Amino acid sequence: MRWSLALKKATVNKMLRAGWSSSATLAVASVVLSLAALCLCSYFAGASPLKVMLSLFEGALQGRYALTTTLSEWVAMTLSGLAVLIPYRAGFFNVGGQGQLEVGAVAAAAVTLSLTAPRPLVILLALLAAVAAGVLAVSVPLVLRLRRGASEVTTTIMMNFACIQFMYAMVTGPLKDPKSWYGTTPPVPAAYQLPSFPPGSGVPAGMWVAALIALAAWWLMNSTVFGLYLRAVGGNRTAAVAAGIPVDRVLTGSVLMGAALAGLAGGLELLGYTFRVAEGWSKSWGMVGIPIALLGGNPLGVLAVGLLFAILETGSRSMQALTGVPAALIYLFQGLPVIIYLGLRASAWYSRWTQAAR
Amino acid sequence: MNLVGCRQRKPGRDRDTVPPGSATGKEQEQVQAGTAVAVRMEGICKSFGSVRALDSVNMDISLGEIRALVGENGAGKTTLMTILYGMYRPDAGRMIVWGRETGRDWSPRQAMTARIGMIHQHFSLIPNHSVLENVLMPQLRWTHVRPRWHHHRAVLERLCQEYGFSFPLEARVESLSVGQQQQVEILKLLYQGASLLILDEPTAVLTPQQTDRLLDLLLRLRDQGHSVVLITHKLSEAFAVADSITVLRRGRHVATVARRDTNPREIAFMMVEREWSPASGWELRAPEPGSLLEVRDLVVGEEHRRPAVDRVSLVVRPGEIVGVAGVAGNGQTELAEALVGIRRCRAGRILIAGRDATSWTIAQRLRAGLRFIPEDRHLHGMVGELSLAENLVIDRCDLPPFSVRGVLRHRAVRQAAAEAVQHYGIRAPSPETPMVNLSGGNQQRAVLARALAGSPRVIVACQPTRGLDFAATEYVRAQLVRCAARGVGVLVVSSELEELMQLCHRILVIYRGQVIGELSRHEFDAGTIGLLMTGQVPDGGRYHGQGTRDLGQPA
């Protein structure tokens, strides 16, 4: 009896250790630590941390308008998180999510503004155009990487500039709203805007799309041959080659998938949330996708972290209004957890724990 | 001006009056007044995670002796010496160097100041710097705006002459042979004034002739009053030069004995805890006629360069184990990689079971039954982040029963993994454990399990037992022999002659990309093979043992 109890205790200990050493625990710990840092900062800014936290979450979740905004942000953040995560797992660090997202939105805008057809058809075509634009934007870095071995980090960052300038050229040129005094497209016709689903609830239809895609990505990564190949290629490229895996094809597939999702994010944001592409229309969704992917670690994690980041993004405005703490503080939060996460993982303390868990 | 070589705090600096590197001045008196012990290590303990690498090890190194430190892989030899050199800090124990106890802040820098030098298995030279720069670098400081190169060159040339090193000081290190690079390392230590030299497996990369030269050099160093610690697992070397031998086993000190009081058999027994049976012992079945793997005039390497593999032809028959012997870097790795399809061939043909496979992809060759046990499992053999189960099926997970229309069947994968774990004795907490969390031996077992799964027809095994302990080595070799007995053709590339002589029906010797010799089992002779490995062919042309003349030539 006592023996079996001891055994149980050992098992529990082992599980605890394994839990500690998993990256999910680290991600949660770093998010909590970052929130604590946020509290500390707001304390120094002269506000009560409790009030700051309350205003943050109330501002994001209380009331229909706030909730709709948060969910719309969630769509963009989840999809751009996946746009980084999927290629990242295959060993391609796609930093160009922002550019892919913006050209995606431009393409979707062009379709909705130039076509007249039944609503579902136009929306579908617009989203397909957004996907195609994202894929097009990543094709240059991808080909350079496959053919010439160019670092995709450099090339995708550079493509960001090109894409954003292209967006500016479009909204001040061919797609410019003649009635506007600044560079913007005309609003997407009301008939072609994304409805909320269930109708009238205010929940953006894009949210369901994003959630379904995240689930599908999770299944793809864990339960398909392609997913296993993808993780093998990202984990050890040379070993994947030696195992006969078509490495370049897997890499191409994952990168195109990621870019397609970034483009789709642009299209969904345009049709469901901003309705215009304009100078400075977009938040840095594509960029925030990077910390979301790194912290999330898997598609479901991306979904969760994306929600948190969306809440903070939306809540920051009411936080500033109610407590006087600058909303910019939230941007601190977008980087801090990743730094803490990486710091924790690199620490000797962590490696001791993982070794003990072996 | 504070110039190189003129700094005061390093003892043994003044080369005009004192032979380089020997213990000097006050410290020497101290040491000689005592027991002539250069270094004393007491109760050294060191753990890595839950692994006990060293368990209260004691060791004394006397002045002017060559000490061989022997033991199996993972016995703690290197760990003990890196502790002495200050790269690791012991968990417990103390060290007395030249009669003075080391402090908590003992570091390689302090060790160097105390005239202890270590040459690691992987050289710490900068390939595109000259010999002179490499040797001086540890002593240059950023304040030395214009080092007095000519002065140092003169000193170094004298040293080179004294020890018979024959490389020009201006030569880039990358242009030197491995043996010469090792001499550069030794020169570096001598120039720093080291009088205790630690060499970690120095002969692993050398030809037999280079090895002899190195061992001679060690003897001369000893005669000049240096102490040398030779870390090795080759008993022949230990017995050739050492004055005394220390045996470690699983992190414990087993014995330190004078060479004249012991014999190799006794030491081997201490190392492995059981009677050691010398090579042979396998019953090899005669190969069947036909060919499973045939290579015709294969050329591998970049265009416009000397090919790494130069017109190699060979045949592996069903049930035959063919060995490829050679000093590392003579094209054997490239040959193996070209065979499995990782490397492109420039010319020549590869036939697998009679079918031309030259232009096949890696996957096609896998399907045809060609399997690969890579030299570097971390590079080519495993994906550390994936689980053991996933690693075991990764090369055939696109086939049923492991997947149906691209969707994985987790149950089939898990079942295959469980079978492999049982059959190959892989020790892992569960099949879901990430591969990186397994020990090296178990990782190699997993690599082996994957290579032998399904129905292999030809196995290309590169250094299949590198880094494995005694038991795992025996296991891997037995598996290869068992495969051959089932009619599989095996090509073994190994730098360990003993392994090849134990396993193979035939041995091909490769030198500068060409097969320059071929011996069948009854003619195996370490001397002949060693000579061939250095490119010296007894009667010119390609060397054939008797009766093998037609075997290696494709029809």
PDB file of all heavy atoms in Angstrom, chain A residues 134-167:
ATOM      1  N   GLY A 134      -1.217  36.899 -51.855  1.00  0.00           N
ATOM      2  CA  GLY A 134      -0.267  36.507 -50.807  1.00  0.00           C
ATOM      3  C   GLY A 134       0.760  35.519 -51.339  1.00  0.00           C
ATOM      4  O   GLY A 134       1.958  35.652 -51.100  1.00  0.00           O
ATOM      5  N   VAL A 135       0.270  34.543 -52.094  1.00  0.00           N
ATOM      6  CA  VAL A 135       1.165  33.529 -52.659  1.00  0.00           C
ATOM      7  C   VAL A 135       2.162  34.178 -53.608  1.00  0.00           C
ATOM      8  O   VAL A 135       3.358  33.885 -53.594  1.00  0.00           O
ATOM      9  CB  VAL A 135       0.333  32.448 -53.383  1.00  0.00           C
ATOM     10  CG1 VAL A 135       1.224  31.596 -54.259  1.00  0.00           C
ATOM     11  CG2 VAL A 135      -0.408  31.603 -52.370  1.00  0.00           C
ATOM     12  N   LEU A 136       1.646  35.124 -54.421  1.00  0.00           N
ATOM     13  CA  LEU A 136       2.511  35.820 -55.366  1.00  0.00           C
ATOM     14  C   LEU A 136       3.613  36.571 -54.614  1.00  0.00           C
ATOM     15  O   LEU A 136       4.775  36.572 -55.010  1.00  0.00           O
ATOM     16  CB  LEU A 136       1.659  36.796 -56.185  1.00  0.00           C
ATOM     17  CG  LEU A 136       2.228  37.192 -57.539  1.00  0.00           C
ATOM     18  CD1 LEU A 136       2.273  35.993 -58.454  1.00  0.00           C
ATOM     19  CD2 LEU A 136       1.383  38.315 -58.138  1.00  0.00           C
ATOM     20  N   ALA A 137       3.213  37.200 -53.504  1.00  0.00           N
ATOM     21  CA  ALA A 137       4.184  38.014 -52.761  1.00  0.00           C
ATOM     22  C   ALA A 137       5.290  37.152 -52.170  1.00  0.00           C
ATOM     23  O   ALA A 137       6.407  37.616 -51.989  1.00  0.00           O
ATOM     24  CB  ALA A 137       3.481  38.797 -51.664  1.00  0.00           C
ATOM     25  N   VAL A 138       4.990  35.903 -51.838  1.00  0.00           N
ATOM     26  CA  VAL A 138       6.020  35.074 -51.217  1.00  0.00           C
ATOM     27  C   VAL A 138       6.820  34.295 -52.265  1.00  0.00           C
ATOM     28  O   VAL A 138       7.841  33.707 -51.959  1.00  0.00           O
ATOM     29  CB  VAL A 138       5.395  34.098 -50.192  1.00  0.00           C
ATOM     30  CG1 VAL A 138       5.004  32.785 -50.849  1.00  0.00           C
ATOM     31  CG2 VAL A 138       6.350  33.848 -49.045  1.00  0.00           C
ATOM     32  N   SER A 139       6.332  34.319 -53.500  1.00  0.00           N
ATOM     33  CA  SER A 139       6.992  33.467 -54.491  1.00  0.00           C
ATOM     34  C   SER A 139       8.421  33.928 -54.760  1.00  0.00           C
ATOM     35  O   SER A 139       9.303  33.101 -55.000  1.00  0.00           O
ATOM     36  CB  SER A 139       6.185  33.442 -55.789  1.00  0.00           C
ATOM     37  OG  SER A 139       6.060  34.753 -56.278  1.00  0.00           O
ATOM     38  N   VAL A 140       8.646  35.234 -54.701  1.00  0.00           N
ATOM     39  CA  VAL A 140      10.007  35.721 -54.963  1.00  0.00           C
ATOM     40  C   VAL A 140      10.985  35.208 -53.895  1.00  0.00           C
ATOM     41  O   VAL A 140      11.986  34.556 -54.226  1.00  0.00           O
ATOM     42  CB  VAL A 140      10.025  37.260 -55.048  1.00  0.00           C
ATOM     43  CG1 VAL A 140      11.452  37.747 -55.253  1.00  0.00           C
ATOM     44  CG2 VAL A 140       9.132  37.736 -56.173  1.00  0.00           C
ATOM     45  N   PRO A 141      10.723  35.458 -52.615  1.00  0.00           N
ATOM     46  CA  PRO A 141      11.647  34.898 -51.609  1.00  0.00           C
ATOM     47  C   PRO A 141      11.762  33.383 -51.687  1.00  0.00           C
ATOM     48  O   PRO A 141      12.843  32.829 -51.505  1.00  0.00           O
ATOM     49  CB  PRO A 141      11.002  35.304 -50.271  1.00  0.00           C
ATOM     50  CG  PRO A 141      10.153  36.464 -50.586  1.00  0.00           C
ATOM     51  CD  PRO A 141       9.677  36.281 -51.983  1.00  0.00           C
ATOM     52  N   LEU A 142      10.642  32.714 -51.994  1.00  0.00           N
ATOM     53  CA  LEU A 142      10.672  31.252 -52.033  1.00  0.00           C
ATOM     54  C   LEU A 142      11.594  30.749 -53.134  1.00  0.00           C
ATOM     55  O   LEU A 142      12.444  29.881 -52.912  1.00  0.00           O
ATOM     56  CB  LEU A 142       9.254  30.714 -52.224  1.00  0.00           C
ATOM     57  CG  LEU A 142       9.156  29.197 -52.299  1.00  0.00           C
ATOM     58  CD1 LEU A 142       9.568  28.577 -50.989  1.00  0.00           C
ATOM     59  CD2 LEU A 142       7.748  28.763 -52.676  1.00  0.00           C
ATOM     60  N   VAL A 143      11.426  31.329 -54.336  1.00  0.00           N
ATOM     61  CA  VAL A 143      12.270  30.885 -55.454  1.00  0.00           C
ATOM     62  C   VAL A 143      13.730  31.191 -55.161  1.00  0.00           C
ATOM     63  O   VAL A 143      14.622  30.374 -55.400  1.00  0.00           O
ATOM     64  CB  VAL A 143      11.809  31.551 -56.772  1.00  0.00           C
ATOM     65  CG1 VAL A 143      12.833  31.306 -57.864  1.00  0.00           C
ATOM     66  CG2 VAL A 143      10.457  31.011 -57.175  1.00  0.00           C
ATOM     67  N   LEU A 144      13.982  32.373 -54.588  1.00  0.00           N
ATOM     68  CA  LEU A 144      15.369  32.731 -54.261  1.00  0.00           C
ATOM     69  C   LEU A 144      15.959  31.740 -53.268  1.00  0.00           C
ATOM     70  O   LEU A 144      17.118  31.359 -53.357  1.00  0.00           O
ATOM     71  CB  LEU A 144      15.429  34.151 -53.686  1.00  0.00           C
ATOM     72  CG  LEU A 144      15.276  35.261 -54.711  1.00  0.00           C
ATOM     73  CD1 LEU A 144      15.247  36.611 -54.028  1.00  0.00           C
ATOM     74  CD2 LEU A 144      16.423  35.211 -55.713  1.00  0.00           C
ATOM     75  N   ARG A 145      15.133  31.321 -52.329  1.00  0.00           N
ATOM     76  CA  ARG A 145      15.631  30.367 -51.335  1.00  0.00           C
ATOM     77  C   ARG A 145      15.907  29.006 -51.966  1.00  0.00           C
ATOM     78  O   ARG A 145      16.950  28.411 -51.741  1.00  0.00           O
ATOM     79  CB  ARG A 145      14.592  30.242 -50.204  1.00  0.00           C
ATOM     80  CG  ARG A 145      14.689  29.000 -49.356  1.00  0.00           C
ATOM     81  CD  ARG A 145      15.718  29.112 -48.249  1.00  0.00           C
ATOM     82  NE  ARG A 145      15.859  27.850 -47.558  1.00  0.00           N
ATOM     83  CZ  ARG A 145      15.299  27.570 -46.399  1.00  0.00           C
ATOM     84  NH1 ARG A 145      14.606  28.485 -45.771  1.00  0.00           N
ATOM     85  NH2 ARG A 145      15.467  26.391 -45.848  1.00  0.00           N
ATOM     86  N   LEU A 146      14.964  28.541 -52.781  1.00  0.00           N
ATOM     87  CA  LEU A 146      15.121  27.199 -53.339  1.00  0.00           C
ATOM     88  C   LEU A 146      16.241  27.144 -54.370  1.00  0.00           C
ATOM     89  O   LEU A 146      17.018  26.195 -54.407  1.00  0.00           O
ATOM     90  CB  LEU A 146      13.810  26.749 -53.996  1.00  0.00           C
ATOM     91  CG  LEU A 146      12.646  26.454 -53.053  1.00  0.00           C
ATOM     92  CD1 LEU A 146      11.416  26.051 -53.845  1.00  0.00           C
ATOM     93  CD2 LEU A 146      13.024  25.356 -52.076  1.00  0.00           C
ATOM     94  N   ARG A 147      16.315  28.188 -55.204  1.00  0.00           N
ATOM     95  CA  ARG A 147      17.275  28.139 -56.302  1.00  0.00           C
ATOM     96  C   ARG A 147      18.647  28.620 -55.872  1.00  0.00           C
ATOM     97  O   ARG A 147      19.664  28.133 -56.324  1.00  0.00           O
ATOM     98  CB  ARG A 147      16.777  29.010 -57.469  1.00  0.00           C
ATOM     99  CG  ARG A 147      15.609  28.429 -58.187  1.00  0.00           C
ATOM    100  CD  ARG A 147      16.079  27.274 -59.101  1.00  0.00           C
ATOM    101  NE  ARG A 147      15.005  26.344 -59.346  1.00  0.00           N
ATOM    102  CZ  ARG A 147      14.063  26.520 -60.266  1.00  0.00           C
ATOM    103  NH1 ARG A 147      14.080  27.575 -61.031  1.00  0.00           N
ATOM    104  NH2 ARG A 147      13.106  25.633 -60.429  1.00  0.00           N
ATOM    105  N   ARG A 148      18.672  29.659 -55.049  1.00  0.00           N
ATOM    106  CA  ARG A 148      19.944  30.303 -54.758  1.00  0.00           C
ATOM    107  C   ARG A 148      20.338  30.198 -53.289  1.00  0.00           C
ATOM    108  O   ARG A 148      21.394  30.680 -52.893  1.00  0.00           O
ATOM    109  CB  ARG A 148      19.860  31.784 -55.145  1.00  0.00           C
ATOM    110  CG  ARG A 148      19.741  32.012 -56.623  1.00  0.00           C
ATOM    111  CD  ARG A 148      21.113  32.157 -57.263  1.00  0.00           C
ATOM    112  NE  ARG A 148      21.010  32.217 -58.710  1.00  0.00           N
ATOM    113  CZ  ARG A 148      21.146  31.164 -59.508  1.00  0.00           C
ATOM    114  NH1 ARG A 148      21.382  29.984 -59.002  1.00  0.00           N
ATOM    115  NH2 ARG A 148      21.054  31.284 -60.816  1.00  0.00           N
ATOM    116  N   GLY A 149      19.448  29.668 -52.478  1.00  0.00           N
ATOM    117  CA  GLY A 149      19.763  29.534 -51.056  1.00  0.00           C
ATOM    118  C   GLY A 149      19.772  30.861 -50.314  1.00  0.00           C
ATOM    119  O   GLY A 149      20.393  30.987 -49.263  1.00  0.00           O
ATOM    120  N   ALA A 150      19.081  31.876 -50.850  1.00  0.00           N
ATOM    121  CA  ALA A 150      19.059  33.180 -50.183  1.00  0.00           C
ATOM    122  C   ALA A 150      18.271  33.094 -48.887  1.00  0.00           C
ATOM    123  O   ALA A 150      17.251  32.406 -48.810  1.00  0.00           O
ATOM    124  CB  ALA A 150      18.435  34.223 -51.104  1.00  0.00           C
ATOM    125  N   SER A 151      18.733  33.781 -47.871  1.00  0.00           N
ATOM    126  CA  SER A 151      18.038  33.743 -46.581  1.00  0.00           C
ATOM    127  C   SER A 151      16.672  34.379 -46.699  1.00  0.00           C
ATOM    128  O   SER A 151      16.538  35.539 -47.096  1.00  0.00           O
ATOM    129  CB  SER A 151      18.850  34.485 -45.525  1.00  0.00           C
ATOM    130  OG  SER A 151      18.008  34.849 -44.461  1.00  0.00           O
ATOM    131  N   GLU A 152      15.644  33.606 -46.338  1.00  0.00           N
ATOM    132  CA  GLU A 152      14.293  34.114 -46.495  1.00  0.00           C
ATOM    133  C   GLU A 152      14.000  35.232 -45.510  1.00  0.00           C
ATOM    134  O   GLU A 152      13.112  36.048 -45.746  1.00  0.00           O
ATOM    135  CB  GLU A 152      13.281  32.975 -46.331  1.00  0.00           C
ATOM    136  CG  GLU A 152      13.072  32.486 -44.899  1.00  0.00           C
ATOM    137  CD  GLU A 152      14.154  31.513 -44.465  1.00  0.00           C
ATOM    138  OE1 GLU A 152      15.075  31.255 -45.257  1.00  0.00           O
ATOM    139  OE2 GLU A 152      14.063  31.017 -43.318  1.00  0.00           O
ATOM    140  N   VAL A 153      14.737  35.296 -44.421  1.00  0.00           N
ATOM    141  CA  VAL A 153      14.481  36.369 -43.448  1.00  0.00           C
ATOM    142  C   VAL A 153      14.731  37.712 -44.126  1.00  0.00           C
ATOM    143  O   VAL A 153      13.912  38.635 -44.042  1.00  0.00           O
ATOM    144  CB  VAL A 153      15.384  36.194 -42.212  1.00  0.00           C
ATOM    145  CG1 VAL A 153      15.188  37.352 -41.259  1.00  0.00           C
ATOM    146  CG2 VAL A 153      15.066  34.884 -41.515  1.00  0.00           C
ATOM    147  N   THR A 154      15.852  37.808 -44.813  1.00  0.00           N
ATOM    148  CA  THR A 154      16.165  39.053 -45.508  1.00  0.00           C
ATOM    149  C   THR A 154      15.158  39.321 -46.617  1.00  0.00           C
ATOM    150  O   THR A 154      14.585  40.415 -46.693  1.00  0.00           O
ATOM    151  CB  THR A 154      17.567  38.956 -46.146  1.00  0.00           C
ATOM    152  OG1 THR A 154      18.417  38.267 -45.235  1.00  0.00           O
ATOM    153  CG2 THR A 154      18.112  40.308 -46.471  1.00  0.00           C
ATOM    154  N   THR A 155      14.932  38.322 -47.463  1.00  0.00           N
ATOM    155  CA  THR A 155      14.125  38.591 -48.645  1.00  0.00           C
ATOM    156  C   THR A 155      12.663  38.876 -48.296  1.00  0.00           C
ATOM    157  O   THR A 155      12.048  39.734 -48.909  1.00  0.00           O
ATOM    158  CB  THR A 155      14.188  37.414 -49.632  1.00  0.00           C
ATOM    159  OG1 THR A 155      13.920  36.209 -48.928  1.00  0.00           O
ATOM    160  CG2 THR A 155      15.544  37.317 -50.268  1.00  0.00           C
ATOM    161  N   THR A 156      12.120  38.178 -47.279  1.00  0.00           N
ATOM    162  CA  THR A 156      10.720  38.465 -46.967  1.00  0.00           C
ATOM    163  C   THR A 156      10.577  39.841 -46.329  1.00  0.00           C
ATOM    164  O   THR A 156       9.595  40.540 -46.565  1.00  0.00           O
ATOM    165  CB  THR A 156      10.105  37.394 -46.037  1.00  0.00           C
ATOM    166  OG1 THR A 156      10.990  37.165 -44.946  1.00  0.00           O
ATOM    167  CG2 THR A 156       9.868  36.101 -46.775  1.00  0.00           C
ATOM    168  N   ILE A 157      11.572  40.245 -45.528  1.00  0.00           N
ATOM    169  CA  ILE A 157      11.506  41.601 -44.968  1.00  0.00           C
ATOM    170  C   ILE A 157      11.521  42.618 -46.099  1.00  0.00           C
ATOM    171  O   ILE A 157      10.741  43.575 -46.125  1.00  0.00           O
ATOM    172  CB  ILE A 157      12.693  41.856 -44.022  1.00  0.00           C
ATOM    173  CG1 ILE A 157      12.504  41.074 -42.727  1.00  0.00           C
ATOM    174  CG2 ILE A 157      12.818  43.338 -43.704  1.00  0.00           C
ATOM    175  CD1 ILE A 157      13.609  41.296 -41.728  1.00  0.00           C
ATOM    176  N   MET A 158      12.394  42.388 -47.077  1.00  0.00           N
ATOM    177  CA  MET A 158      12.479  43.323 -48.191  1.00  0.00           C
ATOM    178  C   MET A 158      11.178  43.337 -48.983  1.00  0.00           C
ATOM    179  O   MET A 158      10.713  44.384 -49.427  1.00  0.00           O
ATOM    180  CB  MET A 158      13.651  42.951 -49.098  1.00  0.00           C
ATOM    181  CG  MET A 158      14.993  43.125 -48.439  1.00  0.00           C
ATOM    182  SD  MET A 158      15.183  44.795 -47.815  1.00  0.00           S
ATOM    183  CE  MET A 158      16.187  44.509 -46.395  1.00  0.00           C
ATOM    184  N   MET A 159      10.582  42.148 -49.130  1.00  0.00           N
ATOM    185  CA  MET A 159       9.306  42.090 -49.847  1.00  0.00           C
ATOM    186  C   MET A 159       8.232  42.879 -49.123  1.00  0.00           C
ATOM    187  O   MET A 159       7.324  43.420 -49.748  1.00  0.00           O
ATOM    188  CB  MET A 159       8.851  40.633 -50.016  1.00  0.00           C
ATOM    189  CG  MET A 159       9.441  39.921 -51.213  1.00  0.00           C
ATOM    190  SD  MET A 159       9.241  40.802 -52.756  1.00  0.00           S
ATOM    191  CE  MET A 159       7.539  40.429 -53.165  1.00  0.00           C
ATOM    192  N   ASN A 160       8.327  42.965 -47.809  1.00  0.00           N
ATOM    193  CA  ASN A 160       7.366  43.768 -47.055  1.00  0.00           C
ATOM    194  C   ASN A 160       7.344  45.197 -47.570  1.00  0.00           C
ATOM    195  O   ASN A 160       6.277  45.768 -47.817  1.00  0.00           O
ATOM    196  CB  ASN A 160       7.743  43.795 -45.565  1.00  0.00           C
ATOM    197  CG  ASN A 160       7.134  42.634 -44.817  1.00  0.00           C
ATOM    198  OD1 ASN A 160       6.237  41.983 -45.330  1.00  0.00           O
ATOM    199  ND2 ASN A 160       7.620  42.384 -43.630  1.00  0.00           N
ATOM    200  N   PHE A 161       8.549  45.770 -47.735  1.00  0.00           N
ATOM    201  CA  PHE A 161       8.607  47.155 -48.209  1.00  0.00           C
ATOM    202  C   PHE A 161       7.966  47.258 -49.575  1.00  0.00           C
ATOM    203  O   PHE A 161       7.152  48.145 -49.837  1.00  0.00           O
ATOM    204  CB  PHE A 161      10.060  47.633 -48.270  1.00  0.00           C
ATOM    205  CG  PHE A 161      10.671  47.802 -46.909  1.00  0.00           C
ATOM    206  CD1 PHE A 161      11.538  46.863 -46.399  1.00  0.00           C
ATOM    207  CD2 PHE A 161      10.352  48.909 -46.141  1.00  0.00           C
ATOM    208  CE1 PHE A 161      12.086  47.007 -45.148  1.00  0.00           C
ATOM    209  CE2 PHE A 161      10.904  49.069 -44.883  1.00  0.00           C
ATOM    210  CZ  PHE A 161      11.770  48.113 -44.377  1.00  0.00           C
ATOM    211  N   ALA A 162       8.339  46.320 -50.463  1.00  0.00           N
ATOM    212  CA  ALA A 162       7.803  46.362 -51.815  1.00  0.00           C
ATOM    213  C   ALA A 162       6.286  46.271 -51.797  1.00  0.00           C
ATOM    214  O   ALA A 162       5.583  47.043 -52.456  1.00  0.00           O
ATOM    215  CB  ALA A 162       8.408  45.223 -52.635  1.00  0.00           C
ATOM    216  N   CYS A 163       5.755  45.350 -50.972  1.00  0.00           N
ATOM    217  CA  CYS A 163       4.309  45.138 -50.936  1.00  0.00           C
ATOM    218  C   CYS A 163       3.594  46.374 -50.392  1.00  0.00           C
ATOM    219  O   CYS A 163       2.542  46.778 -50.900  1.00  0.00           O
ATOM    220  CB  CYS A 163       3.974  43.933 -50.070  1.00  0.00           C
ATOM    221  SG  CYS A 163       4.496  42.394 -50.789  1.00  0.00           S
ATOM    222  N   ILE A 164       4.157  46.951 -49.350  1.00  0.00           N
ATOM    223  CA  ILE A 164       3.481  48.093 -48.742  1.00  0.00           C
ATOM    224  C   ILE A 164       3.515  49.285 -49.699  1.00  0.00           C
ATOM    225  O   ILE A 164       2.516  50.003 -49.868  1.00  0.00           O
ATOM    226  CB  ILE A 164       4.109  48.413 -47.379  1.00  0.00           C
ATOM    227  CG1 ILE A 164       3.757  47.284 -46.404  1.00  0.00           C
ATOM    228  CG2 ILE A 164       3.614  49.742 -46.848  1.00  0.00           C
ATOM    229  CD1 ILE A 164       4.547  47.284 -45.130  1.00  0.00           C
ATOM    230  N   GLN A 165       4.645  49.461 -50.393  1.00  0.00           N
ATOM    231  CA  GLN A 165       4.701  50.551 -51.376  1.00  0.00           C
ATOM    232  C   GLN A 165       3.717  50.289 -52.520  1.00  0.00           C
ATOM    233  O   GLN A 165       3.094  51.215 -53.032  1.00  0.00           O
ATOM    234  CB  GLN A 165       6.130  50.710 -51.927  1.00  0.00           C
ATOM    235  CG  GLN A 165       7.138  51.182 -50.897  1.00  0.00           C
ATOM    236  CD  GLN A 165       6.669  52.392 -50.119  1.00  0.00           C
ATOM    237  OE1 GLN A 165       6.093  53.324 -50.676  1.00  0.00           O
ATOM    238  NE2 GLN A 165       6.881  52.371 -48.807  1.00  0.00           N
ATOM    239  N   PHE A 166       3.572  49.021 -52.877  1.00  0.00           N
ATOM    240  CA  PHE A 166       2.602  48.680 -53.921  1.00  0.00           C
ATOM    241  C   PHE A 166       1.199  49.053 -53.472  1.00  0.00           C
ATOM    242  O   PHE A 166       0.413  49.632 -54.232  1.00  0.00           O
ATOM    243  CB  PHE A 166       2.688  47.174 -54.220  1.00  0.00           C
ATOM    244  CG  PHE A 166       1.632  46.680 -55.153  1.00  0.00           C
ATOM    245  CD1 PHE A 166       1.724  46.934 -56.519  1.00  0.00           C
ATOM    246  CD2 PHE A 166       0.541  45.957 -54.682  1.00  0.00           C
ATOM    247  CE1 PHE A 166       0.746  46.485 -57.385  1.00  0.00           C
ATOM    248  CE2 PHE A 166      -0.438  45.510 -55.546  1.00  0.00           C
ATOM    249  CZ  PHE A 166      -0.332  45.774 -56.902  1.00  0.00           C
ATOM    250  N   MET A 167       0.909  48.749 -52.204  1.00  0.00           N
ATOM    251  CA  MET A 167      -0.400  49.110 -51.659  1.00  0.00           C
ATOM    252  C   MET A 167      -0.606  50.629 -51.739  1.00  0.00           C
ATOM    253  O   MET A 167      -1.651  51.105 -52.190  1.00  0.00           O
ATOM    254  CB  MET A 167      -0.487  48.603 -50.214  1.00  0.00           C
ATOM    255  CG  MET A 167      -1.811  48.831 -49.521  1.00  0.00           C
ATOM    256  SD  MET A 167      -1.958  50.429 -48.730  1.00  0.00           S
ATOM    257  CE  MET A 167      -0.779  50.296 -47.411  1.00  0.00           C
TER     258      MET A 167
END
